[in-house]
Amino acid sequence: MPDSRLGLVCITDSDEVRYRIITRKRLLQHDHAAQQELLRELFTDNLRRLERALHYCRREQIFLYRIPSSLFPFSDEPVGREVLDDMAAEVGRVGDSATASGIRLVMHPDQFVVLSSDSPGVVANSIKILDMHARIMDLLNQPRSPWALLEIHGGKSGRSAAMIERIALLPDGIRLRLGLENDEYAYGAEDILAICHATGVPMVFDAHHHVIKEGLSSYEHPSVCEMLEKARATWPDPAMQLVHISNGRTAFNDRHHADLIDDMPSSYAAAPWIEIEAKSKELAIRKLRGGERRFG
């Protein structure tokens, strides 16, 4: 797809781009000093792995990369925050390298981020997680704009008003980067679009979530193109618009992602940035670039 920039999500199907993690149980087996040492070694290694990921993207001419949420595990806790702050200069150099290469960096915080929850504890934890992601973007010297997107879903259904109120109160480091994606369960495309209009937050349109939610049989249904255009209008710069695509594994409306992308909405030819949410990652990107796909 020569008119769109296809994005790699976190890791490659091969072992070329991979990251390390540590469990809470293992971390808590140690005292504070040992915890810091464990995290420092892990953060340093994962930062080098991020450098390799950027090298891979440059080599493959991929200009959109989704950083994994687990890049710096436990950096939302004091022990991890201290370690990460000590590494600020190193992290900044890696972010500057991405910028110099024209690679756009985005993040997709995990499912525990539910700003629309009716539980104050869940909301507080959600903001804590988002703050961690925003700090990583700050340390990477990425702009406080949707270019360095922090993307989340709507969360608990029937809570649009709460979502709108809570977004308005978010710190700038989060709010100015925030994007909202439609899903197939609680917040369909029109639902999330309304929240985006009320908050000034851009909408990340996912065509596969949309066809599942609406029970459609083709990506060529008129509403797909319509929602793509409506979502574009929520972006402060339309050239930043980011969309997602995946295909069903066993059938068109299967929620589980297929290995590759065989169906692509024809309207996506006008999308400037497309995250490829296929299981086979870079293999799917190569296939799309080779023109081996059909519309609808």
Side-chain angles (χ1 to χ4, degrees):
M1 298 187 64
D3 297 328
S4 299
R5 299 208 171 181
L6 308 181
L8 177 65
V9 175
C10 300
I11 62 173
T12 52
D13 186 64
S14 72
D15 290 334
E16 189 155 1
V17 178
R18 297 278 160 171
Y19 296 90
R20 289 172 53 199
I21 61 172
I22 187 172
T23 65
R24 182 173 295 275
K25 179 180 179 181
R26 182 187 169 204
L27 187 67
L28 294 180
Q29 289 173 345
H30 302 274
D31 62 22
H32 183 79
Q35 288 177 10
Q36 284 190 314
E37 192 57 37
L38 277 170
L39 292 179
R40 184 173 290 106
E41 191 274 332
L42 176 59
F43 288 6
T44 299
D45 191 35
N46 274 355
L47 188 61
R48 299 290 83 80
R49 290 169 187 250
L50 176 58
E51 286 187 296
R52 291 200 292 273
L54 294 176
H55 175 75
Y56 175 87
C57 288
R58 283 190 288 268
R59 190 185 77 210
E60 297 292 321
Q61 292 292 286
I62 294 171
F63 295 99
L64 172 65
Y65 180 62
R66 183 195 291 180
I67 301 171
S69 292
S70 58
L71 179 67
F72 300 123
F74 301 103
S75 59
D76 56 341
E77 301 290 344
V79 61
R81 186 184 184 104
E82 292 168 7
V83 173
L84 191 57
D85 285 346
D86 285 344
M87 296 174 58
E90 300 165 66
V91 177
R93 283 193 290 270
V94 174
D96 290 343
S97 172
T99 299
S101 301
I103 298 173
R104 182 179 183 181
L105 301 177
V106 300
M107 300 186 82
H108 193 338
D110 59 33
Q111 71 272 19
F112 299 111
V113 174
V114 185
L115 289 177
S116 56
S117 175
D118 53 9
S119 165
V122 170
V123 174
N125 190 59
S126 297
I127 295 171
K128 178 183 175 185
I129 294 171
L130 284 170
D131 183 65
M132 174 192 71
H133 286 77
R135 285 185 56 253
I136 290 172
M137 285 298 198
D138 282 344
L139 289 171
L140 287 165
N141 295 327
Q142 297 303 295
R144 289 187 169 187
S145 82
W147 176 261
L149 194 71
L150 302 180
E151 176 211 329
I152 62 173
H153 291 280
K156 189 174 178 63
S157 63
R159 301 273 298 170
S160 295
M163 185 84 166
I164 292 167
E165 291 174 7
R166 286 161 186 169
I167 287 174
L169 297 174
L170 291 172
D172 284 353
I174 302 171
R175 183 177 52 79
L176 296 176
R177 293 184 175 111
L178 199 66
L180 300 177
E181 179 187 354
N182 59 296
D183 64 72
E184 68 266 43
Y185 301 107
Y187 291 90
E190 289 286 359
D191 301 319
I192 214 72
L193 178 68
I195 298 175
C196 288
H197 280 310
T199 58
V201 167
M203 174 180 171
V204 178
F205 178 58
D206 187 308
H208 195 60
H209 289 328
H210 177 64
V211 297
I212 294 172
K213 174 75 172 176
E214 303 302 326
L216 308 179
S217 60
S218 169
Y219 288 133
E220 297 310 294
H221 190 278
S223 66
V224 174
C225 181
E226 290 168 5
M227 288 310 310
L228 178 71
E229 293 174 354
K230 288 179 179 179
R232 183 177 299 127
T234 66
W235 288 78
D237 179 354
M240 288 187 187
Q241 184 187 22
L242 174 63
V243 300
H244 288 182
I245 191 62
S246 58
N247 287 172
R249 176 171 290 278
T250 61
F252 181 72
N253 291 101
D254 185 357
R255 292 180 173 86
H256 300 95
H257 292 182
D259 291 342
L260 301 171
I261 304 295
D262 293 313
D263 291 335
M264 180 78 79
S266 58
S267 56
Y268 267 29
W273 300 90
I274 306 176
E275 279 193 72
I276 305 303
E277 295 191 315
K279 293 293 186 183
S280 291
K281 310 288 184 178
E282 77 278 17
L283 303 180
I285 292 175
R286 288 171 188 161
K287 182 177 179 182
L288 287 167
R289 284 179 164 175
E292 301 173 32
R293 60 101 172 88
R294 61 186 175 83
F295 290 127

